[in-house]
């Protein structure tokens, strides 16, 4: 798969190591895709149960956005997600909500969740649905805490931008949907993932993710 294309189906659950040992579920992380993703180091398109459990930023405009409440055993935290720049904060806000929506769809076992099409656009939407479907089919959901940090925004023009950010999956795990068994794993460099995304602002003012790649163990994300 060419650099810059969405890799949603290859998104590894925050528990990759455990599932490698117990089931062939995964490969890369939170919003990842099909085929051999190369994991861009640059920004795609650039030249170079309760609501309190989710720490995603609130909406910055008048557009009605889907209400998403993550299960009580799953938390998404977004460190340094506020920059003080209105445009950057609006972009990061929709990135965070896209993350929440993807994780919520997995916990609910619902690849047809309408909120997915709210935050994904183009081929990225089909890949996101395929990813959620594949995780659910394999019998897993997610639990624990996903930490997102080191976000950097590059605004290309009034309707397109790129964002790179990191995820710490060290305290998030796969859980068997039927038995509720949690697959806990050791924290290694593979617990940290770099994401490279491209976003397009639609007519409703929502910054939709149209391309996304991920690279596990990238040095810019590891402690």
């Amino acid at each position: 798969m060419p650099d810059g294309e969405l890799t949603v189906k290859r998104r590894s659950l925050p528990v990759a190591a455990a599932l490698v040992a117990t089931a062939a579920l995964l490969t890369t992380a939170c919003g990842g895709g099909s085929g051999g993703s190369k994991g861009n180091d640059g920004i795609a398109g650039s030249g170079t149960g309760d609501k309190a459990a989710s720490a995603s930023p609130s909406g910055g405009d008048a557009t009605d956005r889907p209400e998403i409440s993550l299960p009580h055993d799953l938390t998404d935290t977004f460190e340094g997600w506020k920059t003080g720049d209105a445009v950057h904060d609006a972009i990061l806000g929709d990135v965070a909500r896209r993350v929440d929506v993807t994780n919520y769809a997995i916990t609910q076992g619902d690849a047809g969740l309408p909120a997915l099409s709210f935050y994904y656009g183009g081929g990225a939407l089909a890949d996101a649905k395929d990813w959620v479907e594949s995780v659910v089919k394999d019998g897993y959901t997610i639990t624990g805490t996903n930490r997102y940090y080191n976000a950097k925004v590059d605004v290309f023009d009034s309707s397109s931008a790129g964002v790179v950010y990191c995820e710490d999956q060290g305290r998030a795990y796969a859980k068997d949907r039927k038995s509720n068994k949690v697959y806990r794993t050791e924290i290694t460099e593979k617990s940290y993932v770099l994401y490279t995304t491209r976003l397009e602002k639609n007519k409703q003012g929502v910054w939709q993710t149209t391309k996304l790649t991920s690279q596990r163990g990238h040095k810019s994300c590891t402690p």
Side-chain angles (χ1 to χ4, degrees), residues 130-150:
D130 286 349
W131 165 244
V132 172
E133 206 168 63
S134 68
V135 174
V136 174
K137 183 178 179 181
D138 285 333
Y140 295 97
T141 182
I142 48 179
T143 187
T145 299
N146 291 297
R147 180 173 69 94
Y148 303 91
Y149 57 101
N150 287 356

Side-chain angles (χ1 to χ4, degrees), residues 36-197:
S37 168
K38 298 179 181 178
N40 246 344
D41 285 351
I43 296 177
S46 71
T48 49
D50 54 39
K51 193 171 181 180
S54 174
S56 58
S58 58
D61 57 39
T63 303
D64 287 334
R65 284 167 165 75
E67 289 291 331
I68 294 297
S69 296
L70 294 177
H72 71 279
D73 66 337
L74 177 63
T75 302
D76 291 340
T77 64
F78 300 86
E79 295 182 359
W81 227 250
K82 287 289 187 179
T83 68
D85 179 284
V87 175
H88 286 203
D89 287 348
I91 293 168
L92 289 174
D94 280 340
V95 170
R97 285 182 282 273
R98 183 262 297 163
V99 169
D100 278 351
V101 161
T102 307
N103 289 341
Y104 179 76
I106 291 173
T107 65
Q108 301 304 299
D110 186 2
L113 187 74
L116 286 172
S117 60
F118 197 89
Y119 292 111
Y120 284 99
L125 174 60
D127 281 348
K129 290 181 176 180
D130 286 349
W131 165 244
V132 172
E133 206 168 63
S134 68
V135 174
V136 174
K137 183 178 179 181
D138 285 333
Y140 295 97
T141 182
I142 48 179
T143 187
T145 299
N146 291 297
R147 180 173 69 94
Y148 303 91
Y149 57 101
N150 287 356
K152 296 177 178 61
V153 181
D154 188 357
V155 178
F156 307 141
D157 53 44
S158 61
S159 60
S160 64
V163 177
V164 293
Y165 61 95
C166 297
E167 179 187 14
D168 173 3
Q169 299 179 345
R171 292 176 177 79
Y173 313 99
K175 183 172 72 172
D176 188 281
R177 302 189 77 89
K178 292 183 178 179
S179 69
N180 287 325
K181 178 180 178 180
V182 176
Y183 296 92
R184 298 185 182 278
T185 56
E186 294 183 1
I187 298 175
T188 70
E189 66 176 16
K190 298 300 183 182
S191 302
Y192 304 93
V193 187
L194 175 71
Y195 293 96
T196 301
T197 69

